[in-house]
Structures are given as C-alpha cells and as structure tokens.
C-alpha cells in the first residue's frame, strides 16, 4: 500500500462479530476466557480498540509493532526504561521542554547521564560517544527552532561505531506523512499522538513504533509492567484522526509555506524558523529527508522583548494562544514561558529561544484569514 491508503486501511480489517468498518470502543477492563492462552485477558495488556490503533501506528511508520501510551512523555519514559544506571544518552540541544525536564529532573537522578549537542553536526554526536553510550535521542524538525537532523547519516555513523546503540527519533513535527525514520536507520520512532496523529486537539496520547522483534518485546513488557496505556476511547479517536492524516498534513504544509514567507517579509519580524525557506541552514537536507516542510513555523520579533511577544499573542483572534500543536485549528505559543519554561533561561538563550520567540502551529483554515489575523496582531 502507498501511504495515503495505509492511513485508512493499514493494519485494519472489519470487526469480526459485526463487520463494523471502524473498530468498536471496547470499554472493558477484562474478558471472559475460554482458555488461559487467549489473546485478550486484561486491558492493561491488550485491548481490541487499542490494538487496532497500534496496528495502524506500525503500518504508517513501516514498523512491525506499534504501542499506544497515555501521553507522549509516557512513551519517552518507556524508552528510557530500556536503560540502566550508568548508561549515557546523547540528545539534541533543542528539545521539547517536557523531554528536557524528564531527562534532567527525573532520569538523571536515577543514574542516567545526558549530553546535549547541536545535531546539525554529525561530529558533535560521534565525539560524545563512549563505551557507556546506549541511546541517541533526536528531534527533527526540532521544537521550537526547526533544526533538521540527518537521520540516515547519524544512524550509519553511530552504528558503525557501536551497533548496539539505539537511535530514537521524535517524529511529532514531521509525522509519518513527511518522513519515516525507521526507513532511514532509526530503531525507535516516537510521537506525541496528541498532536498531528490525533489532529483534533481532543486526546492526550503517545506512540512508539519499532521494527526489531526483540526490542518490541522489551517495550511491550515495560508498558505492561508500568501500565501507561492509552484508553479505548482515546484509541478510537486517534485511529479516526489517522484516517485523515494525509489530507490534513497537505493543507498544513501549504499554509505553513505561505505563512513563513509572509512573516519573512514583514517589517516587524526578526528571524523566521522554517525548513522550507531557502535561507534555512538545513533547507537542502529537509528537501532530501522530508516529503514537504510541515505546518510548524517559529519566528522572533525585531522588538526582542517578552512584552512585545505578549502584545502580539494577546491580539490574535484565529491563532489561539494555547499549549500544544498539530490540531486542525491554528495555535500560537510563547516558548519561553509555555512549552519550554522548564529549561533554564541561560540554556534557552544559549540555543536561541529568546523572549520574543513565538511558535505557530499553522492550521488548515483559509490561509488568507490567517495572514490577516497575523497582520492585525503585528500592527496592534
């Protein structure tokens, strides 16, 4: 199947007892068993609605196994539980604030060691590898500065040094429609399915997708033992969202390009962060690695103050000031005080997350209305 077909049919079949096209919401904790070995016995381990979603997850990322978690952070937590005290993780220096918080405030005190590097340079990663390195954690595009990491080059170089090191990619911004990290050499793909996979701002969910059977068994054990599963109702909603992923992302991409170019040429805007602009330092890599450039656009104001950013954000009407991203509606975020507030100011400023930086999740509305909304807020 090609991708657009996979979003609708991948891993799916009509429900056995009724022939229902959409899997029912199996709102149950337990199951009557005819023998102790049957597939469904307790919903922490397996649930038919969640399984349908997980089969779809695997299909759209070209994996063999997918896992639906209670949140994106729960999915990341499961990956880190593959490791043990003393293991080292190399991560990008531009990360979602919640990921950074989990790494530094939770797992560091349990004995894991973290190095944060600019993943633009392959050498930055390979120079940090030691005999204790067990995981490379990548975001691409990054949140919120939209950097692009070369998944294939990083995977090849790291595996040449030590084939046992795992490569994990947070693919939330790109979605499987735009890039498929497992095809590029990664071992684990992670999504905050709250975002584009769900697509309607109505669920909290995380996803992991893998190809290796042994790795799948380990993650399944961690999920079953720790219990951070997605519920059947949320699983139903996420599966519904995936069925329109391809057409939604096409519009997100179309609108994102127009918005990025509008902002680039606006006299009150300083810098625009969007991999689809020719002046983006990773433009050529983004063209090669991604099918299109996505709907996430960040920008800074020429008046580089928090007050200027707040004034802009208080005057948008269609771009709603809110946490999160990836829904059909357009959202605006002040990274320094919202999504990345848990990162110390010194670290934020070092990588470019300034007080005037604004992150837009460009929705699928008519783009002329979105531009007018931005123009009104910039001129307010």
């Amino acid at each position: 199947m090609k991708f657009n077909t996979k979003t609708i049919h991948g891993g799916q079949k009509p429900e056995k007892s009724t022939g229902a096209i959409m899997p029912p919401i199996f709102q149950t904790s337990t199951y009557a068993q005819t023998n102790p070995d049957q597939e469904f016995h307790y919903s922490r381990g397996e649930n038919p609605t969640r399984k349908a979603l997980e089969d779809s997850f695997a299909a759209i990322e070209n994996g063999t196994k997918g896992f639906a978690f209670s949140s994106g952070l729960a999915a990341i937590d499961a990956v880190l539980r593959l490791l043990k005290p003393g293991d080292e993780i190399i991560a990008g220096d531009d990360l979602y604030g919640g990921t950074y918080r989990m790494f530094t405030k939770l797992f560091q005190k349990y004995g894991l060691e973290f190095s944060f590097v600019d993943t633009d340079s392959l050498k930055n990663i390979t120079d940090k590898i030691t005999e204790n390195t067990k995981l490379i954690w990548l975001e691409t595009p990054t949140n919120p500065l939209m950097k692009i990491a070369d998944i294939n080059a990083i995977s090849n170089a790291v595996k040449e040094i030590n084939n046992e090191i795992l490569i994990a990619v947070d693919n939330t911004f790109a979605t499987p429609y735009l890039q498929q990290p497992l095809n590029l050499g990664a071992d684990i793909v992670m999504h905050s399915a709250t975002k584009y996979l769900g697509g309607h701002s109505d669920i909290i969910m995380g996803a992991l997708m893998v190809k290796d059977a042994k790795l799948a068994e380990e993650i399944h054990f961690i999920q079953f033992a720790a219990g951070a599963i997605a519920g059947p109702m949320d699983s139903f909603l996420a599966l519904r969202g995936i069925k329109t992923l391809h057409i939604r992302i096409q519009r997100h991409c179309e609108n994102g390009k127009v918005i990025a170019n509008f902002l680039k040429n606006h006299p009150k805007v300083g810098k625009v962060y969007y991999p689809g602009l020719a002046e983006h330092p990773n433009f050529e890599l983004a063209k090669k690695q991604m099918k299109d450039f996505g709907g996430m656009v960040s920008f800074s104001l020429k008046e580089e103050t928090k007050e200027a950013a707040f004034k802009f954000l208080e005057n948008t009407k269609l771009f709603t000031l809110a946490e999160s991203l990836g829904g059909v509606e357009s959202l605006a975020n002040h990274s320094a005080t919202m999504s990345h507030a848990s990162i110390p100011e010194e670290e934020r400023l070092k990588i470019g997350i300034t007080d005037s930086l604004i992150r837009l999740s460009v929705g699928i509305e008519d783009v002329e209305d979105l531009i007018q909304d931005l123009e009104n807020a910039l001129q307010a």
Side-chain angles (χ1 to χ4, degrees):
M1 291 182 201
K2 302 209 179 293
F3 185 83
N4 294 356
T5 309
K6 279 185 180 178
T7 61
I8 297 168
H9 298 286
Q12 304 303 299
K13 53 189 176 182
E15 195 268 330
K16 289 179 182 178
S17 62
T18 65
I21 292 296
M22 281 297 287
I25 301 167
F26 284 90
Q27 196 71 49
T28 186
S29 60
T30 193
Y31 308 83
Q33 297 174 247
T34 56
N35 65 73
D37 292 329
Q38 72 181 49
E39 180 178 10
F40 298 105
H41 52 88
Y42 189 61
S43 279
R44 176 161 39 83
E46 291 281 7
N47 174 280
T49 315
R50 189 170 83 244
K51 184 179 186 305
L53 172 64
E54 291 174 335
D55 289 345
S56 177
F57 280 165
I60 61 176
E61 280 287 8
N62 282 342
T64 59
K65 181 66 177 171
F67 301 90
F69 288 83
S70 54
S71 70
L73 287 172
I76 298 171
D77 175 86
V79 174
L80 295 181
R81 288 173 189 262
L82 293 164
L83 310 178
K84 63 183 188 304
D87 288 347
E88 296 176 1
I89 299 93
I90 301 170
D93 59 0
D94 182 28
L95 287 177
Y96 165 53
T99 305
Y100 181 90
R101 180 178 58 232
M102 177 179 285
F103 287 1
T104 59
K105 301 297 185 184
L106 283 182
F107 279 92
Q108 217 162 33
K109 72 180 182 182
Y110 298 144
L112 297 184
E113 299 296 330
F114 295 88
S115 298
F116 299 96
V117 302
D118 184 348
T119 56
D120 273 4
S121 167
L122 178 58
K123 192 172 185 294
N124 288 344
I125 296 173
T126 55
D127 282 354
K128 284 287 185 180
I129 292 176
T130 73
E131 63 181 11
N132 293 324
T133 303
K134 303 299 179 186
L135 175 68
I136 311 295
W137 185 268
L138 304 174
E139 277 185 19
T140 181
T142 62
N143 182 1
L145 297 176
M146 309 303 292
K147 295 180 183 179
I148 308 295
D150 191 331
I151 300 169
N152 189 241
I154 292 169
S155 298
N156 288 339
V158 169
K159 296 295 185 179
E160 191 172 324
I161 295 170
N162 183 348
N163 195 49
E164 299 299 312
I165 297 174
L166 294 172
I167 312 292
V169 178
D170 182 338
N171 201 28
T172 299
F173 273 25
T175 81
Y177 179 77
L178 300 181
Q179 74 184 9
Q180 295 171 338
L182 295 179
N183 290 351
L184 298 171
D187 300 290
I188 302 170
V189 178
M190 175 267 168
H191 288 269
S192 173
T194 307
K195 314 303 195 294
Y196 286 109
L197 296 189
H200 294 79
S201 302
D202 54 8
I203 60 170
I204 300 290
M205 186 183 290
L208 294 178
M209 298 82 154
V210 300
K211 276 188 175 178
D212 182 75
K214 183 175 182 295
L215 183 57
E217 286 180 12
E218 292 177 15
I219 292 172
H220 181 266
F221 172 77
I222 290 167
Q223 185 183 45
F224 177 73
I229 57 166
M233 182 66 192
D234 284 351
S235 296
F236 177 88
L237 291 172
L239 188 56
R240 182 195 64 175
I242 287 171
K243 288 180 183 292
T244 60
L245 176 67
H246 53 297
I247 55 174
R248 287 188 287 106
I249 297 301
Q250 288 168 19
R251 177 58 68 86
H252 285 297
C253 291
E254 290 168 8
N255 286 357
K257 286 177 203 168
V258 176
I259 295 296
N261 280 285
F262 163 77
L263 292 169
K264 180 184 75 169
N265 295 308
H266 199 283
K268 292 197 174 183
V269 172
K271 188 171 182 180
V272 179
Y273 302 85
Y274 184 69
L277 294 176
E279 56 267 36
H280 189 286
N282 306 128
F283 174 65
E284 292 300 327
L285 173 58
K287 276 205 305 184
K288 172 187 169 187
Q289 182 167 280
M290 299 169 68
K291 183 175 180 178
D292 208 333
F293 303 108
M296 297 300 300
V297 181
S298 295
F299 70 98
S300 59
L301 297 169
K302 281 187 177 173
E303 185 182 340
E304 294 187 346
T305 65
K306 186 183 293 185
E307 290 73 25
F310 279 21
K311 183 180 179 184
F312 168 84
L313 292 165
E314 289 164 2
N315 281 283
T316 58
K317 305 299 182 187
L318 296 180
F319 280 88
T320 303
L321 177 60
E323 296 280 4
S324 201
L325 58 104
V328 293
E329 63 287 306
S330 294
L331 302 178
N333 172 284
H334 186 248
S335 299
T337 57
M338 296 171 72
S339 58
H340 291 70
S342 56
I343 299 178
E345 182 179 16
E346 182 182 349
E347 296 300 318
R348 280 194 288 102
L349 294 175
K350 190 188 301 181
I351 63 171
I353 304 177
T354 64
D355 283 345
S356 79
L357 185 74
I358 294 161
R359 189 194 73 193
L360 302 179
S361 175
V362 180
I364 64 173
E365 302 95 335
D366 283 308
V367 73
E368 295 85 358
D369 292 331
L370 297 179
I371 288 174
Q372 189 61 58
D373 190 42
L374 294 174
E375 178 65 33
N376 292 343
L378 286 165
Q379 298 297 347

